[in-house]
Amino acid sequence: MTDVRIAGVGLTKFGASPERTGRDLFAEAGLDALDDAGVDQDDVEALFYGNFMGELAEHQGHQGPLMAEAVGVDAPATRYEAACASSGVAVAEAVKNIRNGERDVVLVGGAERMTNLGTAGATEALAIAADDLWEVKAGMTFPGAYALMANAYFSEYGGEREDLAAIAVKNHENAVPNEKAQYQREISIEDVIEAPMVAEPLGLYDSCPISDGASALVLTSEEFAEEHDLDAPVSITGTGQGGDLMALHDRDFLARSPAADKAAAEAYADAGISADDVDFAEVHDCFTIAEVLAMESLGLFEVGEGISAARDGKTTREGELPVNLSGGLKAKGHPVGATGASQLAEMASLLRGDHPNSEYVEGATTGVTHNAGGTVASAVVHVLEVEQ
């Protein structure tokens, strides 16, 4: 079974670009990825594309062929949808496709256009990732859902708002040198605590922004990379996907994310590693509590111990296990269909040494990405390793 190499990466700047269409955003990311890889459009044998709300934001379905046309690729194109994990799932499927020998070169990524809907419209669109019959119609929003999860965690394991604030402060600091990040500015613990409350205990700075953006990766087989003398030292060595009940009220416990537990276990087994081998991580911090749940599902911290990791300096860029060196969803931004693939793009750059924060993981060989959909009813985990 062939190794899957990340030959090229491409990202737009995340942020507010309401005038740009989804196809425009993805064309930029996709063409940049192909250029970074040194691969021609004619070599691409398939496009796997993640998008969540295209029908609502642009009145546009059937986006796979549209995005292939945008990047000048004449190949089968498929759209994947798993809420905020859409492009993470697309990557997982692309990895399987290359491993099984069906294709040697796949362009994979995602895009989302959100800010043209406005805050109320984007919030309503995002809500369709919850159970419409039993959650949305009852008034559930995602800030409210994650607030329930945060309160459940505090009740079971302890913690306080300052612990969550430290996560936001850390991720904003990481985003400052990242030119692709939506918010390249630092904030303080006081800024987080004093910000308007959204859903107790989560305030404005505990929440990721509404974002437009796109991401892309050129994935190849090991054989193609070697035959074409590509500079592709980073491989996806492990992939896992897990699922859970959709509605929070149907779950036994809100302070854990079983879908991510399953995805992590599967990815580690696939790569032949354990959590102890991980040098750093990019996780799905749509809200600050989500970073805590992600780290514990990944086995990077014992259950109940992840809450204090940022406050104790363990997950800062100078810490023993840096988390979200890109700035995370919190500060880099969260164009939902682009997020999963963007995590791999950032991690590949960090491992290659050409990311503005690469100095903090110099000598690192192994990273893990964690991408979640909804209240983690869907989760995808990928292990990336670099040749030394």
Side-chain angles (χ1 to χ4, degrees), residues 1 4 103 142:
M1 188 167 59
V4 177
R103 295 182 172 98
F142 278 104

Side-chain angles (χ1 to χ4, degrees), residues 282-295:
E282 287 285 320
V283 306
H284 197 97
D285 61 323
C286 50
F287 299 91
T288 48
I289 187 62
E291 179 165 311
V292 177
L293 299 178
M295 293 188 301

Side-chain angles (χ1 to χ4, degrees), residues 12-30:
T12 66
K13 182 175 177 62
F14 287 6
S17 304
E19 75 288 350
R20 298 188 68 182
T21 62
R23 71 189 80 182
D24 178 38
L25 291 164
F26 188 70
E28 178 185 335

Side-chain angles (χ1 to χ4, degrees), residues 298-314:
L298 291 170
L300 304 179
F301 293 91
E302 295 294 328
V303 174
E305 295 182 3
I307 187 67
S308 61
R311 197 173 180 181
D312 293 341
K314 295 178 181 177

Side-chain angles (χ1 to χ4, degrees), residues 40-298:
D40 293 332
Q41 284 105 321
D42 290 344
D43 290 323
V44 177
E45 298 170 291
L47 169 64
F48 291 180
Y49 174 75
N51 176 265
F52 173 52
M53 61 174 67
E55 290 85 353
L56 300 178
E58 298 193 283
H59 196 64
Q60 182 66 64
H62 199 197
Q63 290 196 22
L66 192 67
M67 298 307 162
E69 180 182 349
V71 294
V73 167
D74 181 14
T78 306
R79 173 192 175 186
Y80 291 84
E81 188 276 302
C84 307
S86 294
S87 61
V89 170
V91 172
E93 292 303 309
V95 168
K96 294 175 188 175
N97 208 248
I98 292 172
R99 280 181 170 181
N100 68 25
E102 189 171 344
R103 295 182 172 98
D104 283 307
V105 182
V106 176
L107 179 63
V108 59
E112 209 72 69
R113 187 183 182 197
M114 302 174 68
T115 64
N116 63 307
L117 295 173
T119 301
T123 300
E124 183 177 358
L126 287 165
I128 68 170
D131 187 322
D132 184 71
L133 185 61
W134 298 110
E135 293 183 307
V136 179
K137 284 183 169 57
M140 175 72 78
T141 63
F142 278 104
Y146 275 90
L148 290 173
M149 297 165 80
N151 283 317
Y153 188 100
F154 285 174
S155 177
E156 185 71 21
Y157 304 118
E160 54 189 13
R161 288 198 65 206
E162 286 76 6
D163 294 313
L164 298 179
I167 295 170
V169 169
K170 166 182 68 72
N171 291 347
H172 271 264
E173 182 180 24
N174 289 342
V176 170
N178 186 357
E179 63 180 12
K180 304 299 185 181
Q182 184 163 352
Y183 294 131
Q184 290 179 268
R185 63 174 184 264
E186 295 185 7
I187 58 174
S188 67
I189 296 291
E190 292 72 24
D191 290 332
V192 181
I193 298 299
E194 294 172 7
M197 186 61 64
V198 177
E200 181 72 36
L202 304 177
L204 182 65
Y205 284 123
D206 289 291
S207 313
C208 71
I210 294 168
S211 315
D212 305 312
S215 60
L217 308 166
V218 176
L219 303 185
T220 75
S221 65
E222 181 179 20
E223 293 77 11
F224 184 93
E226 291 177 352
E227 288 170 8
H228 293 79
D229 197 27
L230 301 183
D231 184 14
V234 179
S235 298
I236 302 174
T237 58
T239 294
Q241 184 173 349
D244 198 3
L245 297 171
M246 183 91 150
L248 285 182
H249 62 258
D250 287 329
R251 301 182 192 176
D252 293 331
F253 191 43
L254 301 188
R256 298 282 295 147
S257 45
D261 295 350
K262 298 168 191 172
E266 186 176 307
Y268 290 153
D270 189 29
I273 68 164
S274 72
D276 292 339
D277 297 309
V278 174
D279 296 310
F280 65 108
E282 287 285 320
V283 306
H284 197 97
D285 61 323
C286 50
F287 299 91
T288 48
I289 187 62
E291 179 165 311
V292 177
L293 299 178
M295 293 188 301
E296 294 183 1
S297 285
L298 291 170

